[in-house]
Amino acid sequence: MKNSFVYKYLSLRNSESLGRFLTTMAALIAIVSTITIVVFISLKGLSTFTTNGVSLKEFLFSTNWLPDRPLAEGGPQVGVLAFIIGSLVVSMLAVLVSAPLSIACAVFIVEIAPYWGQRFLQPAIELLAGIPSVVYGYIGLSVLVPFIRDNIGGLGFSVLAGFLVLSVMILPTIVSMLIDSLKSLPRDYKEASLALGSTRWQAIRLVLIPAARSGLVTGIVLGLARAFGEALAVQMVIGNTRVMPTSILDPVITLTSAITMDMGNTPMGSLWNNALWSMGLLLLIMSFIFILIVRYGVRRGGISR
Amino acid sequence: MNARLADKIATLTFWVGALIVILILGSMIAYLLYHGGKYISWDFLTKPAQAIRAGGGIGPQIFNSFYLLFLSMLITVPIGVLGGIYLAEYAGNNKLTEAIRLCIETLNSLPSIVVGLFGLLVFVNMTGWGYSLISGALALTVINLPLMVRFTEEAIRGVPASLREASLNLGANHWQTILRVVLPSAFPGLVSGAIITSGRVFGEAAALLFTAGMSSPALDFSQWNIFHPASPLNPFRPAETLAVHIWKVNTEGLIPDLRRVADGSAAVLILVVLGFNMAARWLGSKIHRRMTGT
């Protein structure tokens, strides 16, 4: 029986349907796993609101993070505004630092020094994009934090350290995406512009960068998404105090670092633990927003390849 | 301002920008290799870690990283290659294809900590495996699948149409053409894709904290029964990888020679990851040259 089954499916005529079946299944796994992730994280993340009865407004807009306050003193409260602000501030500052640098570096590699730029610098940058994020965190912890503490002030564990580490971490990723989008422009654009008498800077500023705009923005948004979702590198250098920062040298906490630190130490099903799952859900929603921006917001306009 | 002067200033700015980027990244690598390189010794690479005393090594962590890499690639590569074949060869221009692409894009940009949470919920708790290598391997598969699919699709799309047409003309069906003609010529791309993906597995930590766990049992390398709890090959034991070890030593470490272990581990990690990426480039072009005879 078994032999005939194998024979049937591996014979010339049927191997075609077998192949189609196997590959379709593999592709469907992508859909299935995405849906499973969304469903499970949502179910678990919503239990703060359904089981514990925390109101969405309080969760999102309150800065009172007191998940273990006894009932006598007013009961526990889980407001994660400080975490959200922490995440947003750190990742946006990181992008503000690394976007201009990345654009300069990518333009340099593609336009200013194309020979050794593309022969040596681009492979080097791509190689660096593979460096694990814990390594960036570790460098931040062992070099940047003591440097800030000794020379600028504060504890060293700060917003400043956090966004500097992130900005270096996302540099190679953004640069290599920008290089790709600049390289995909037709050669004629630059040549036409130069033939009309513009200088190289005018060609870059008025023709190349506007033409590659959608690619540039995509690269930067993906960099922001990566910075927003990064957990360990940030957690190692920002100090993790659960209050709103008032200066750039204050310690701060992000959604990701709160999950990293407390998920293992809080009992499953407790309010504290459920609030962490809700933060996970928030991260998931944010990454959907980033994807939607890239897919539908950015791809309009610019040139189509 | 005069256009020529503006051009000069802009060129200078681009030089400075590029130099800053290269300086930052270059000095980082140099710092790591210089500080960590001097601690790398045979003892450090093979001895087990110490919890409170000095003199620990990172032997089990290195083993765990490679074993986890192997387990996760065992799942990622077949599914990823098949999925890539589907997208390159079979997918029609329809809603299903668009949904698959959207999902792959989504999976690719999920924060790894979210994948870790999903792994904790499904692979650790629901299956009852607890913190284990297999849970970690499955979580890593979720992270790396999109990358493997994309590399495969790109590699297959790079195969010249004439090869495919010749095979179909000789009477082979579509699947036979894929297996015997398209995949072999896409092989260099597949190999470098798989190696680059491996490099990512090796450095991943956030998704592993709550899936593969942050501790390793005492390993007995003479125990070959893979279901024995002390067997290094048991896929159901918890395992701390090198990347997780760097994080843990720095945040919770109690050992006196913390800097030595952390510096050394970071240098080893970086060497392995850079090694993977360089191997991917080198091997990819070498296989390509051998197979095309150029």
Side-chain angles (χ1 to χ4, degrees):
Chain A
M1 280 305 278
K2 205 174 172 203
N3 278 339
S4 69
F5 175 83
V6 169
Y7 177 76
K8 194 173 152 199
Y9 279 91
L10 291 184
S11 69
L12 179 66
R13 215 177 46 229
N14 290 308
S15 69
E16 177 62 27
S17 48
L18 174 77
R20 191 175 249 287
F21 173 76
L22 282 179
T23 55
T24 315
M25 281 301 121
L28 287 180
I29 286 180
I31 298 191
V32 173
S33 39
T34 311
I35 294 177
T36 334
I37 289 177
V38 172
V39 168
F40 276 103
I41 300 277
S42 307
L43 283 180
K44 193 80 182 134
L46 288 174
S47 61
T48 312
F49 312 112
T50 53
T51 319
N52 302 101
V54 176
S55 77
L56 186 62
K57 194 172 140 233
E58 183 196 309
F59 182 77
L60 289 179
F61 299 111
S62 156
T63 54
N64 291 324
W65 175 253
L66 306 157
D68 47 0
R69 186 165 65 173
L71 274 175
E73 293 165 29
Q77 218 182 344
V78 284
V80 298
L81 186 62
F83 302 69
I84 298 175
I85 300 279
S87 282
L88 286 175
V89 165
V90 171
S91 54
M92 283 181 170
L93 286 174
V95 170
L96 278 185
V97 172
S98 66
L101 274 180
S102 311
I103 293 180
C105 187
V107 170
F108 178 82
I109 287 175
V110 180
E111 297 297 333
I112 311 270
Y115 176 71
W116 63 274
Q118 285 173 28
R119 218 179 149 84
F120 302 106
L121 289 186
Q122 192 187 356
I125 298 263
E126 278 166 9
L127 220 58
L128 291 169
I131 294 181
S133 60
V134 270
V135 171
Y136 288 100
Y138 174 61
I139 299 253
L141 184 69
S142 57
V143 181
L144 199 57
V145 168
F147 180 82
I148 293 175
R149 182 169 54 220
D150 297 341
N151 296 298
I152 307 178
L155 288 171
F157 293 98
S158 55
V159 179
L160 181 65
F163 81 73
L164 285 180
V165 164
L166 281 182
S167 63
V168 175
M169 188 189 95
I170 59 181
L171 260 180
T173 321
I174 302 188
V175 172
S176 48
M177 277 189 279
L178 298 190
I179 290 176
D180 288 342
S181 76
L182 283 172
K183 265 190 174 174
S184 71
L185 295 178
R187 207 67 216 151
D188 324 2
Y189 282 32
K190 187 187 177 189
E191 281 162 9
S193 163
L194 291 179
L196 288 172
S198 66
T199 60
R200 186 164 63 185
W201 166 234
Q202 283 168 333
I204 292 170
R205 180 169 59 99
L206 300 171
V207 178
L208 297 177
I209 290 194
R213 191 188 59 210
S214 65
L216 298 182
V217 179
T218 305
I220 291 169
V221 172
L222 289 179
L224 179 63
R226 203 172 157 214
F228 194 86
E230 175 52 39
L232 302 188
V234 189
Q235 190 267 349
M236 287 164 93
V237 298
I238 57 170
N240 305 301
T241 48
R242 296 171 180 82
V243 286
M244 203 71 103
T246 51
S247 106
I248 203 170
L249 294 175
D250 276 355
V252 63
I253 193 164
T254 63
L255 293 166
T256 48
S257 65
I259 297 175
T260 314
M261 297 204 347
D262 295 334
M263 187 52 89
N265 314 325
T266 50
M268 269 276 183
S270 64
L271 172 63
W272 189 331
N273 191 263
N274 285 345
L276 294 176
W277 285 99
S278 306
M279 291 185 216
L281 177 58
L282 215 54
L283 285 175
L284 187 67
I285 294 172
M286 280 304 291
S287 73
F288 281 135
I289 294 176
F290 289 129
I291 295 163
L292 291 181
I293 293 176
V294 168
R295 223 182 146 82
Y296 300 106
V298 179
R299 295 219 172 132
R300 306 275 149 81
I303 58 149
S304 48
R305 264 187 254 170
Chain B
M1 195 176 8
N2 163 329
R4 230 171 256 284
L5 183 64
D7 184 55
K8 289 254 159 59
I9 295 176
T11 306
L12 188 70
T13 319
F14 285 124
W15 270 93
V16 172
L19 271 181
I20 293 178
V21 172
I22 292 152
L23 266 182
I24 294 176
L25 296 173
S27 55
M28 221 184 71
I29 302 281
Y31 174 88
L32 275 174
L33 293 183
Y34 173 72
H35 278 264
K38 57 177 182 259
Y39 299 125
I40 299 179
S41 65
W42 182 245
D43 258 12
F44 182 66
L45 292 178
T46 50
K47 271 191 357 198
Q50 295 285 350
I52 39 175
R53 273 175 297 152
I58 50 171
Q61 280 76 18
I62 293 182
F63 176 81
N64 286 341
S65 285
F66 277 107
Y67 190 44
L68 190 63
L69 169 75
F70 169 74
L71 285 178
S72 97
M73 293 313 276
L74 212 57
I75 316 171
T76 311
V77 170
I79 302 179
V81 169
L82 285 174
I85 294 177
Y86 179 83
L87 284 181
E89 295 282 338
Y90 289 112
N93 195 1
N94 54 27
K95 284 261 188 297
L96 178 70
T97 311
E98 199 173 319
I100 293 172
R101 284 189 195 283
L102 181 65
C103 285
I104 286 175
E105 215 171 302
T106 311
L107 285 181
N108 196 35
S109 56
L110 280 184
S112 57
I113 185 97
V114 171
V115 177
L117 290 182
F118 170 72
L120 172 63
L121 205 55
V122 176
F123 306 136
V124 173
N125 288 341
M126 283 178 55
T127 57
W129 290 331
Y131 291 148
S132 60
L133 277 163
I134 187 83
S135 314
L138 287 170
L140 286 176
T141 303
V142 173
I143 293 181
N144 281 319
L145 192 59
L147 209 62
M148 197 63 227
V149 169
R150 198 184 299 165
F151 279 128
T152 308
E153 192 188 348
E154 252 169 50
I156 289 181
R157 286 197 190 280
V159 175
S162 53
L163 280 181
R164 193 168 315 183
E165 281 156 14
S167 163
L168 292 171
N169 266 340
L170 290 172
N173 68 22
H174 197 174
W175 180 240
Q176 286 173 320
T177 307
I178 293 172
L179 281 189
R180 307 266 165 82
V181 177
V182 175
L183 277 189
S185 15
F187 194 65
L190 296 185
V191 171
S192 32
I195 299 179
I196 291 174
T197 317
S198 308
R200 258 180 37 148
V201 176
F202 209 82
E204 182 53 55
L208 294 177
L209 292 182
F210 308 123
T211 51
M214 290 181 249
S215 61
S216 293
L219 297 182
D220 176 5
F221 280 87
S222 57
Q223 178 58 261
W224 284 93
N225 172 9
I226 66 162
F227 296 110
H228 192 279
S231 165
L233 296 178
N234 183 355
F236 295 100
R237 70 178 173 88
E240 180 195 37
T241 65
L242 194 55
V244 173
H245 188 62
I246 293 178
W247 178 76
K248 202 181 139 205
V249 161
N250 276 301
T251 50
E252 303 171 356
L254 298 169
I255 42 175
D257 56 347
L258 197 151
R259 281 302 295 267
R260 182 185 70 91
V261 173
D263 276 336
S265 312
V268 172
L269 187 60
I270 245 189
L271 283 176
V272 173
V273 171
L274 291 185
F276 269 119
N277 282 286
M278 287 200 235
R281 280 171 186 281
W282 179 76
L283 212 63
S285 65
K286 190 178 162 115
I287 297 176
H288 181 76
R289 239 175 288 140
R290 173 167 299 172
M291 295 189 55
T292 52
T294 49

